[in-house]
Amino acid sequence: MDEMKSSILFVDDEQHLLDGLRRSLRGQRKEWNMAFVPSAEEALQVLSETHFDVVVSDMRMPGMSGAELLEQVSERYPDMVRLILSGHSEEASVIQAVPFAHQFLSKPCDVEMIKRVITRALKLKSLVGDPHLQTLVSQIRSLPTLPKLYLELTELLRRDKVSVERVGEVISQDPVMASKILQMVNSAFFGVGRQISSPTQAATLLGTETLKGLVLSAGIFMQFDVEALKIGGFTLEALHNHCLKVSRLARAIAESTGADKDGLEESLLAGLLHDIGKLVLVQSMPEHYLRYHRQLAECDGDMVQTERQVFNADHGRVGAYLLGLWALSEPLVEAVAYHHDPMESEHFAPSPLLAVHVADALVSADSEDCAVIPAGVDEHYLEACGVRDRLDEWRQLYRNLFPEGGA
C-alpha cells in the first residue's frame, strides 16, 4: 500500500454491497488505499498485518457482529476512526455499539455521504498532530459528568413516566451529556436530515426509550471519582460552572450580533462545550496535567503555550477533535478549536467562535480557579471581524447577566 495515502477498511458480509462500494469509490484510489473484506474475522486478520486509519463496518454479520468488531478494534487499534453501518430495524444493536463507534451511518448509505464522513474524519487529525494524543482522544468512551446531574438523569429515566423535556433540560446542563446525545442524534443513522445543536431537542427526537437504552443499558454516561479529578486544584464543578456561564454569555453576544436561531443554538452549545478538551487531558493524562499546572504556576506562563509544551496540543484542539469525530457541526468544532487563538481560524465574521472567544475571556477574567485560567480578548481578531467597537457593550452585557462576577 502507498504509505502516503490514508487507508480505509470496509467490512460487510454481503459481497454485492462490497463490490458496489468498490466500484463507487474507484475515484478515491488516488487519495485512499482501500481494502474490502466480507467478515469481522477477516477484518481482524487484515488489521493485524496492515495499518488502517478508518474502519467502516456493517452492523449485522454472521459470527462476530459489527459492534463486537469495533470493540476489538477500539482495544487493539485505538487510533482508528470507527464507523458503523446499520439498518433502522437494528436500533438495539446500535445502542450496544455506542461506546465503540465514533459515528453511525444508515444502511443503505449514499456513497457521497460515506466519502464526506471519512474525508472530514481524516481532516480532523490535523487539529491534533501528536499520534499519541490522537489515540487518547479516539479511544474515549466516556468522560466525567457532574455527579448530581448524572444521578438526577438516571433517576428520571428509571421512572415509569418521565417528561422527555425535563430529561433534555438536565442533559443540556452538562457538557459531556450534551455532546454525547448530540453525537447520536446527528449521526446519519437517525436520519434527522439537519444538524441539531440543542440537547433538549436532541432528547426529544431520540425519545425516552432510546434515551433509557443509551443511559441505563449502554452506559454512555458514567460516574467518576470526582476527588480523583482534583489534580493541581482542578475541580469538575468549577469547570462546569464556568462553561454554563460562557454558554449563556455566548448566546447573548450572538443575539446582539443578529444571529439567527441556529447561530444562537450553536453559540450556546459551543460555550457549553468549549473546555471539554480539559476533561480529556485531566482524565487521560493526569501526570502531565499536574506537570502542566506546576509549570504554569512556577513560570506564570501563557496557558495555551504551556499546554502545547506539556501535551503537544492545547485543550481547544483536543476537544474539537473529539467533537468532530462525534459528528458535531463545523461551526461548533471551529469555535471549540480556536476559542483561545481565533486568528488561526479561517473565518472573520460574527460567529459562534467570536461569541465564545469573547464570552470565555470576559467570564474567566476574575477567575482564580485552576480549572478556569483567565484568557484575554484578541482585539486583532475583533478588528478583523469588524466588531472592535462593541467590546465595551459586551462587557456590560456580562455584568448584567452575572452581577456577582467571577467564573
Side-chain angles (χ1 to χ4, degrees), residues 6-269:
S6 297
S7 297
I8 321 297
L9 177 64
F10 295 92
V11 189
D12 198 310
D13 65 298
E14 296 184 64
Q15 189 62 48
H16 70 282
L17 292 179
L18 275 184
D19 292 340
L21 270 176
R22 194 194 308 266
R23 287 192 300 271
S24 300
L25 293 170
R26 190 170 290 133
Q28 293 297 118
R29 288 182 298 181
K30 291 182 179 179
E31 299 177 37
W32 300 344
N33 295 312
M34 291 176 281
F36 302 83
V37 298
S39 72
E41 290 80 7
E42 288 184 58
L44 290 175
Q45 180 59 41
V46 169
L47 287 168
S48 70
E49 301 166 353
T50 307
H51 173 268
F52 285 86
D53 299 287
V54 181
V55 58
V56 184
S57 176
D58 183 28
M59 172 63 80
R60 184 179 295 175
M61 298 184 288
M64 185 183 296
S65 70
E68 292 169 323
L69 170 62
L70 292 198
E71 181 176 8
Q72 293 273 341
V73 170
S74 71
E75 292 172 356
R76 300 186 196 183
Y77 315 102
D79 62 311
M80 286 183 64
V81 176
R82 303 178 294 276
L83 310 177
I84 200 97
L85 280 164
S86 182
H88 282 282
S89 62
E90 302 168 344
E91 185 170 314
S93 299
V94 166
I95 287 174
Q96 297 310 309
V98 167
F100 316 113
H102 293 124
Q103 293 187 43
F104 303 81
L105 302 174
S106 178
K107 188 179 180 182
C109 186
D110 176 70
V111 171
E112 291 303 314
M113 169 69 80
I114 292 176
K115 286 164 59 176
R116 192 160 55 247
V117 170
I118 292 175
T119 299
R120 185 186 186 220
L122 292 171
K123 183 180 178 183
L124 283 166
K125 289 198 171 189
S126 65
L127 286 170
V128 179
D130 186 291
H132 176 62
L133 264 181
Q134 289 176 0
T135 298
L136 283 178
V137 175
S138 181
Q139 68 187 9
I140 293 285
R141 296 183 184 179
S142 56
L143 286 167
T145 57
L146 205 62
K148 64 180 181 181
L149 291 176
Y150 173 84
L151 290 172
E152 183 177 356
L153 179 65
T154 53
E155 288 171 4
L156 279 172
L157 290 174
R158 287 192 174 101
R159 295 177 184 172
D160 292 333
K161 292 184 179 181
V162 60
S163 162
V164 71
E165 290 80 8
R166 178 59 193 146
V167 171
E169 288 172 6
V170 174
I171 289 171
S172 66
Q173 295 178 62
D174 187 274
V176 173
M177 292 183 184
S179 59
K180 200 68 179 173
I181 288 297
L182 288 164
Q183 176 199 16
M184 295 304 302
V185 83
N186 285 310
S187 288
F189 173 79
F190 286 95
V192 174
R194 58 191 176 86
Q195 194 76 29
I196 303 298
S197 299
S198 164
T200 302
Q201 186 180 8
T204 302
L205 289 168
L206 290 174
T208 53
E209 291 307 310
T210 298
L211 287 168
K212 285 180 181 179
L214 289 169
V215 177
L216 302 180
S217 299
I220 63 170
F221 311 136
M222 295 183 68
Q223 282 184 298
F224 284 76
D225 181 359
V226 176
E227 292 300 314
L229 294 174
K230 291 183 178 179
I231 299 169
F234 177 95
T235 67
L236 185 59
E237 189 167 10
L239 184 66
H240 173 266
N241 291 337
H242 170 71
C243 289
L244 285 176
K245 286 188 173 183
V246 171
S247 180
R248 285 183 60 194
L249 182 56
R251 187 192 187 283
I253 290 171
E255 186 173 27
S256 76
T257 64
D260 60 15
K261 182 175 181 292
D262 289 342
L264 295 180
E265 287 184 350
E266 287 192 324
S267 298
L268 185 75
L269 180 63

